[in-house]
Amino acid sequence: MSIETLQFQAETKRLLDLVINSIYTNKEIFLRELISNASDAIDKLHFESLTNREILGGDENFEIYVIPDAETKTITISDNGIGMTRGEVISNIGTIAQSGTKAFLEKIRESEGKIDEELIGQFGVGFYSAFIVAEKVELITRRAGENSAVKWASDGAGEYTLEDTEKNSRGTTIILHLKPEFCGGEDFDFTNIYTVENLIKKYSDFIRYPIKMNFEVEDADKNKTVEVRTVNSMQPLWTRNKSDIKPEEYEEFFKHQFHEWETPLEIFHTKAEGTTEYTALLCIPKHAAMNLYYSDYEAGLQLYSRHVFVMNKCKDFLPDYLRFIKGLVDSPDLPLNISRELLQQSREVKKIGKALEKNILKQLTKILKNERERYGEFWREYGKSLKIGVYNNAYDEKAKDDLKDLLMFATSKEDLSTLEEYVSRMPESQTKIYCATGKDKAQISQMPQMELLRERGIEVLYLLDPVDEFCIESLNKYADKEFQSITREDFSLDDAESQKTKSEVEELAKSHENLLKDVAAALNGAVSEVRLTPNLKTGAVCLSTGVNGPSLNMEKTFAAMNNPFFKAQRILELNPNHALFGKLSGLHALGKDTPEFKNFCELLYTQALLIEGIMPDNPVEIANKIADLMAK
Ligand code: ADP
């Protein structure tokens, strides 16, 4: 039959225009796509041969060849798979059947010509991706079991030709006549055997069939010979049986694939079968990335579909708080050609992600129970992430429930303690979990409120990271016990003695009502209230904050985030048993408007501020007032 010229289907034409004229960010994907087609074609033949052995014609060595050639400016990809008949070429290569591609075109139409680079870059367009790098493509194919072959050729501009040809073995050979910018240059030289070899290793290492290349080698006498080498390792580590994989193999894998430079802290290798099929190989790196909590950190898992690389950094599997997890997911339920947008909506991805998250938390629980020290290591690196997880799930009781037992805090008694452990040490009379916020342990242990707690032997959770308080607020309760900040206005101890002192102090406050009001007035709105407190022993003053609104530390955090409107409600608390209180009363009796009384109030408040690590607004004035007082 002579050469026949045919038109591409309208949709195909549009797709080709797009591929040829678009700013395809990822020039390399054509190789992955064509190799993956070749592998599928071999799969199909293999499948057919199960019921029809004849079809193999004695050739059972499945293989894919990739031959870059600088002289002819071509790269050839050939396979000995199923091949295509003339009719199949017309229906497969001239038309678009695939729903994914149709959806892709739909998206492009919706965007009214504004092409999203990300979308295009991630969206494989199968065979047509050849036109990203080629000005002309030839495809020669012979269906397994047939004698005749057909040659298809096109420059991608609306038409293609078909002619009968000779081919001495089954399968498909695709010759890409490369555009000049893809031969011989510094970047993207697809005629360079090493560039191509690296691309195969990068994208197609785990293809199940050997991908072979011809390497020219020189012997000692400088005679050149061609050596055929298989470039891909063929067996993905994650598809092997867990029990056959040595620890160092896992280690090597993570080093190779994820640029880890240390042995991971934990490795997860899971295979799931059933409605959703997947294999995941994940790790917790030994150390958290320096930029883990910064916006330039790229979280996400690598995605494979039937061992073929689909994308890096797929963010849709794991929740943000597990952003430190590295690894890959391989699932036949996810198509190769899938955009990031479609992935986000994918039910499979959600299902796999949920299962992975559950598995990770289960494993962490196990480490906490059985390998306390290693859990400590994990916690020091990633504890913040889990606390962020609680905060991010403030309205999701189930999610908080899953995380609460994995949390650890420093306490006044332990370096690191879980909430369960804290509760187990609580004396019977204690009904709440006490906590205090500060920049370090030393600062908290010196707080005047701590004196009484120490005397009663009551343990306090130390909230040292700004996220701690947000996490505790989101949890609200643990084992039915409320969290109680020792710097909140409603703090008091539960034991009988403390309750007695509390009512005595309340009585005393009644008889000093005017004094307390006048102190507040003298402070000119800096505090919302002045009170007498039963919570101080030797300290004269402290600050507490209202039950509604943020704490002083939260106020600082908000201010650092450029949100100065979240103000803590400040309450000045005075120790009625301290000598300064007697002095204050004396000055008050001499007149609430005297400078002595006003200055005394201001200095008391400043002390309370300093204890909280807050600088007064007018430090020089305050220093002068202290100097005056000392000189008297
Ligand atoms: P997809 O592979 O996603 O279906 P392609 O555009 O890459 O889309 O290929 C279209 C069809 O062409 C394939 O489904 C397959 O039937 C056929 N095809 C492509 N490459 C080969 C090949 N190397 N051998 C046999 N058939 C092929």
Side-chain angles (χ1 to χ4, degrees):
M1 210 186 285
S2 58
I3 300 184
E4 197 184 344
T5 303
L6 290 104
Q7 298 285 322
F8 282 116
Q9 169 207 36
E11 261 177 340
T12 314
K13 225 177 127 212
R14 263 186 342 112
L15 182 62
L16 276 167
D17 282 347
L18 228 144
V19 170
I20 292 166
N21 302 315
S22 77
I23 26 59
Y24 242 95
T25 38
N26 195 349
K27 313 282 180 201
E28 313 158 348
I29 59 155
F30 78 94
L31 195 58
R32 176 192 85 182
E33 297 287 323
L34 297 183
I35 289 178
S36 143
N37 277 354
S39 164
D40 288 349
I42 299 176
D43 274 346
K44 281 180 200 161
L45 178 64
H46 176 69
F47 186 73
E48 210 169 309
S49 73
L50 297 178
T51 49
N52 175 14
R53 200 125 195 103
E54 302 282 281
I55 199 166
L56 295 179
D59 176 8
E60 296 183 15
N61 291 328
F62 299 126
E63 58 193 10
I64 297 164
Y65 263 90
V66 177
I67 304 168
D69 186 343
E71 228 160 84
T72 56
K73 296 189 168 57
T74 59
I75 179 166
T76 301
I77 295 101
S78 62
D79 64 72
N80 58 355
I82 189 110
M84 284 175 274
T85 61
R86 189 186 186 93
E88 281 168 339
V89 172
I90 296 173
S91 60
N92 291 342
I93 307 287
T95 49
I96 295 174
Q98 217 199 314
S99 59
T101 314
K102 280 195 175 144
F104 169 69
L105 285 174
E106 202 50 48
K107 268 236 143 75
I108 300 285
R109 203 187 344 248
E110 278 166 16
S111 67
E112 290 169 357
K114 275 188 259 117
I115 296 163
D116 182 336
E117 271 195 48
E118 168 96 332
L119 176 66
I120 293 216
Q122 290 306 325
F123 207 104
V125 286
F127 174 77
Y128 305 107
S129 62
F131 289 100
I132 300 169
V133 295
E135 52 194 18
K136 183 180 173 193
V137 177
E138 289 174 291
L139 175 146
I140 299 150
T141 185
R142 184 175 139 189
R143 179 72 161 84
E146 311 255 336
N147 292 320
S148 59
V150 63
K151 177 170 158 186
W152 176 101
S154 177
D155 59 4
E159 293 177 347
Y160 61 89
T161 57
L162 274 182
E163 62 182 302
D164 288 341
T165 188
E166 299 282 313
K167 189 175 185 301
N168 50 24
S169 59
R170 68 158 189 256
T172 304
T173 297
I174 296 167
I175 306 162
L176 310 191
H177 296 267
L178 293 164
K179 294 177 186 171
E181 63 264 40
F182 299 114
C183 348
E186 295 258 304
D187 306 319
F188 304 117
D189 179 4
F190 300 121
T191 60
N192 182 308
I193 192 157
Y194 300 106
T195 305
V196 174
E197 183 192 15
N198 282 331
L199 286 179
I200 295 172
K201 281 191 196 299
K202 178 172 170 191
Y203 289 110
S204 314
D205 190 53
F206 306 116
I207 289 286
R208 289 177 296 285
Y209 307 105
I211 302 169
K212 296 182 172 174
M213 292 182 83
N214 296 332
F215 288 82
E216 208 169 69
V217 286
E218 253 180 34
D219 63 16
D221 302 327
K222 296 216 180 284
N223 292 323
K224 285 184 180 168
T225 49
V226 169
E227 190 180 290
V228 179
R229 285 187 216 149
T230 297
V231 173
N232 57 328
S233 73
M234 279 190 280
Q235 182 159 33
L237 183 79
W238 64 88
T239 61
R240 285 168 48 194
N241 264 339
K242 255 161 108 168
S243 51
D244 299 340
I245 305 175
K246 296 192 207 83
E248 53 272 27
E249 283 183 289
Y250 278 126
E251 248 169 67
E252 264 313 305
F253 175 79
F254 281 105
K255 282 183 186 161
H256 256 274
Q257 192 109 345
F258 297 99
H259 312 289
E260 277 307 300
W261 45 283
E262 294 165 298
T263 308
L265 205 127
E266 180 67 18
I267 289 168
F268 308 86
H269 188 179
T270 14
K271 274 181 209 206
E273 274 154 11
T275 46
T276 308
E277 207 178 299
Y278 68 89
T279 302
L281 183 50
L282 312 177
C283 81
I284 301 175
K286 190 163 186 85
H287 286 102
M290 300 292 254
N291 60 347
L292 186 60
Y293 301 108
Y294 292 85
S295 56
D296 64 342
Y297 178 81
E298 259 212 278
L301 304 178
Q302 267 186 3
L303 176 60
Y304 286 78
S305 169
R306 298 183 190 279
H307 320 333
V308 180
F309 175 81
V310 178
M311 74 169 71
N312 239 331
K313 310 279 179 194
C314 174
K315 291 189 187 65
D316 307 308
F317 286 108
L318 294 177
D320 193 49
Y321 79 88
L322 291 177
R323 49 170 43 213
F324 56 86
I325 300 278
K326 287 190 176 179
L328 60 86
V329 176
D330 185 354
S331 170
D333 296 333
L334 298 169
L336 249 187
N337 295 339
I338 187 161
S339 71
R340 283 192 189 274
E341 281 83 350
L342 290 178
L343 258 186
Q344 258 173 20
Q345 298 151 15
S346 156
R347 278 185 48 219
E348 265 66 38
V349 170
K350 285 202 182 88
K351 254 164 79 182
I352 295 173
K354 273 273 157 236
L356 292 177
E357 180 185 5
K358 202 170 149 194
N359 195 27
I360 292 167
L361 297 184
K362 202 170 114 196
Q363 185 63 13
L364 287 175
T365 307
K366 215 158 128 190
I367 301 175
L368 172 61
K369 290 235 152 66
N370 305 330
E371 298 169 85
R372 180 56 183 238
E373 210 164 293
R374 201 154 73 86
Y375 191 80
E377 250 178 75
F378 162 78
W379 185 257
R380 272 178 268 274
E381 290 297 319
Y382 304 106
K384 193 190 185 82
S385 296
L386 298 201
K387 292 180 206 160
I388 292 174
V390 172
Y391 175 59
N392 285 348
N393 286 302
Y395 303 106
D396 183 340
E397 292 306 321
K398 164 89 177 64
K400 286 193 290 186
D401 223 43
D402 290 343
L403 286 170
K404 66 181 193 320
D405 285 316
L406 288 168
L407 301 177
M408 285 189 133
F409 296 90
T411 79
S412 51
K413 288 186 179 164
E414 298 287 331
D415 259 356
L416 276 179
S417 170
T418 62
L419 293 171
E420 191 184 9
E421 290 160 354
Y422 174 98
V423 168
S424 73
R425 288 188 293 264
M426 277 168 57
E428 222 164 285
S429 63
Q430 188 183 339
T431 57
K432 291 176 178 161
I433 299 172
Y434 295 110
C435 45
T437 313
K439 74 173 178 8
D440 54 38
K441 289 183 178 181
Q443 194 205 345
I444 298 180
S445 72
Q446 282 166 10
M447 281 166 65
Q449 296 94 323
M450 284 296 288
E451 223 177 326
L452 190 68
L453 288 149
R454 228 183 338 261
E455 188 187 270
R456 301 281 152 85
I458 288 178
E459 189 173 3
V460 178
L461 284 190
Y462 284 1
L463 309 182
L464 303 174
D465 188 309
V467 72
D468 287 357
E469 234 181 326
F470 290 91
C471 166
I472 289 294
E473 282 258 312
S474 309
L475 270 184
N476 191 26
K477 278 181 181 179
Y478 178 84
D480 269 341
K481 310 223 164 8
E482 273 175 37
F483 292 99
Q484 170 71 55
S485 161
I486 65 164
T487 55
R488 212 171 56 189
E489 59 168 331
D490 58 350
F491 164 60
S492 67
L493 288 174
D494 303 323
D495 61 282
E497 194 186 338
S498 301
Q499 288 298 320
K500 186 165 160 264
T501 319
K502 191 180 163 200
S503 36
E504 283 166 9
V505 167
E506 276 164 9
E507 280 305 307
L508 196 65
K510 275 185 202 152
S511 58
H512 286 87
E513 208 175 323
N514 283 339
L515 166 66
L516 299 176
K517 257 192 212 137
D518 292 340
V519 177
L523 291 176
N524 239 338
V527 297
S528 64
E529 200 188 330
V530 179
R531 288 185 188 174
L532 296 186
T533 179
N535 299 329
L536 294 181
K537 278 193 66 75
T538 61
V541 287
C542 67
L543 263 192
S544 67
T545 48
V547 278
N548 299 315
S551 71
L552 287 165
N553 276 284
M554 282 178 167
E555 179 185 299
K556 279 186 225 162
T557 310
F558 284 126
M561 284 164 17
N562 265 336
N563 190 345
F565 305 109
F566 280 100
K567 286 274 183 216
Q569 189 191 357
R570 299 175 187 201
I571 297 162
L572 177 63
E573 302 204 355
L574 306 175
N575 180 358
N577 301 319
H578 196 279
L580 283 189
F581 183 68
K583 194 129 191 226
L584 179 74
S585 302
L587 286 173
H588 184 244
L590 295 175
K592 67 180 167 67
D593 297 320
T594 62
E596 285 79 11
F597 176 71
K598 287 191 166 172
N599 285 345
F600 202 84
C601 293
E602 192 177 9
L603 289 181
L604 281 178
Y605 175 57
T606 306
Q607 287 175 46
L609 283 182
L610 290 176
I611 289 168
E612 284 293 330
I614 302 171
M615 209 34 188
D617 294 335
N618 51 348
V620 176
E621 224 177 283
I622 295 289
N624 289 339
K625 284 178 184 173
I626 294 172
D628 283 350
L629 204 66
M630 289 171 81
K632 266 185 196 162

